[in-house]
């Protein structure tokens, strides 16, 4: 990752982090959840569009093709279970850590250590959502400390550390801010959606000219329409006392979440080598 891209990542990460915390402060309960659902649907729809080549390639690999078909059926079944929410919280944590760590072209050691930091901060922040894991917060702090120590070890002696890895401060910053603002898994999810929505800025030169303008216009439009749609369902439920459409939308969100994360392991190049071998992507 070049210097410009590294600092862009830091700036966009800070922006996404502050917006996520601000939304958690202003919005509460179902309203915050509805915002997550709206941005999530947009994230998944855009992700599907821009991963078409990966899906096409995966479809030609027997193991990857089988996993995609299994995910289509399994995601619907999983979304109907009583533990769908804690399940997706854990599954998203794995997805978030891998996507963060394997975003940049760094050594396997730096990526692994960064992934450990992300897992640690994630656990320490969302511990309220993991009632089945009573020591999640303490475990998160320990894992974060181990990850940071490993990162410092692997990058020691390298020139230009500040310019190469300025974004590494985001995980610890998230952890510190969570002591002043009560947050849960939805804040990390919002961060993920906002961060990846700014992909062209994170990778300068990836999309250029009219294609870049089309990307930003399309992204803004899809997010706006998605938010309007899910909030319309929320408002309909409040005014008619009929919450079935909203609940159906929520179940579909969890199903698509499971599917989106699973296919990201199959079609994305930003995964550890062992996952690529496991899903038959290599």
């Amino acid at each position: 990752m070049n210097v410009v891209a590294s600092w862009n990542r830091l700036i966009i990460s800070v922006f996404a982090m502050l917006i996520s915390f601000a939304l958690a402060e202003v919005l509460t309960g179902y309203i915050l959840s509805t915002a997550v659902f709206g941005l999530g649907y947009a994230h998944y729809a855009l992700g599907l569009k821009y991963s078409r080549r990966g899906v096409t390639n995966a479809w030609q690999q027997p193991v990857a093709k089988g996993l995609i078909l299994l995910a289509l059926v399994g995601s619907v079944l999983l979304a109907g279970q009583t533990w769908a929410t804690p399940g997706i919280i854990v599954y998203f944590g794995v997805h978030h850590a891998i996507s963060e760590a394997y975003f940049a072209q760094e050594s396997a050691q730096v990526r692994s250590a960064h992934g450990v930091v992300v897992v640690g901060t994630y656990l320490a922040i969302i511990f309220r959502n993991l009632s089945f894991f009573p020591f999640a917060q303490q475990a998160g702090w320990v894992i974060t400390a181990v990850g940071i120590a490993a990162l410092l070890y692997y990058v020691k002696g390298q020139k230009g550390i500040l310019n190469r890895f300025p974004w590494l401060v985001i995980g610890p910053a998230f952890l510190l801010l969570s002591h002043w603002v009560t947050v849960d898994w939805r804040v990390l999810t919002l961060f993920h959606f906002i961060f990846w929505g700014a992909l062209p800025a994170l990778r300068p030169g990836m999309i250029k000219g009219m294609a870049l303008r089309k990307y930003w216009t399309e992204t803004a439009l899809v997010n706006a329409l998605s938010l309007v749609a899910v909030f319309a369902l929320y408002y309909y439920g409040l005014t008619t006392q009929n919450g079935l459409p909203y609940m159906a939308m929520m179940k579909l969100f969890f199903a698509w979440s499971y599917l989106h994360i699973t296919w990201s392991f199959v079609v994305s190049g930003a995964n550890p080598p062992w996952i690529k071998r496991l899903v038959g992507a290599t």
Side-chain angles (χ1 to χ4, degrees), residues 58-112:
W59 202 251
Q60 297 170 1
Q61 306 294 327
V63 175
K65 181 178 180 178
L67 284 173
I68 292 176
L69 290 173
L70 183 63
L72 281 169
V73 177
S75 59
V76 175
L77 297 176
L78 287 171
Q81 303 300 314
T82 55
W83 43 266
T85 301
I88 201 62
I89 290 171
V90 173
Y91 202 29
F92 168 76
V94 175
H95 171 61
H96 179 61
I98 290 175
S99 62
E100 282 282 307
Y102 279 80
F103 176 78
Q105 296 295 323
E106 298 296 341
S107 68
Q109 293 90 342
V110 169
R111 285 175 161 182
S112 297

Side-chain angles (χ1 to χ4, degrees), residues 166-190:
W167 37 268
L168 290 177
V169 302
I170 292 299
F174 243 116
L175 197 53
L176 292 174
L177 276 175
S178 67
H179 277 275
W180 286 277
V181 181
T182 301
V183 298
D184 57 23
W185 68 276
R186 295 171 296 181
V187 173
L188 274 299
T189 308
L190 286 171

Side-chain angles (χ1 to χ4, degrees), residues 14-86:
V14 170
F15 173 78
M17 179 176 64
L18 294 178
I19 291 296
S20 302
F21 274 96
L23 289 174
E25 279 285 276
V26 175
L27 307 179
T28 58
Y30 276 105
I31 298 178
L32 178 59
S33 295
T34 303
V36 171
F37 298 151
L39 293 178
Y41 274 115
H43 177 74
Y44 300 154
L46 291 167
L48 179 60
K49 175 184 177 180
Y50 287 102
S51 64
R52 286 177 299 178
R53 181 181 299 176
V55 173
T56 300
N57 292 337
W59 202 251
Q60 297 170 1
Q61 306 294 327
V63 175
K65 181 178 180 178
L67 284 173
I68 292 176
L69 290 173
L70 183 63
L72 281 169
V73 177
S75 59
V76 175
L77 297 176
L78 287 171
Q81 303 300 314
T82 55
W83 43 266
T85 301

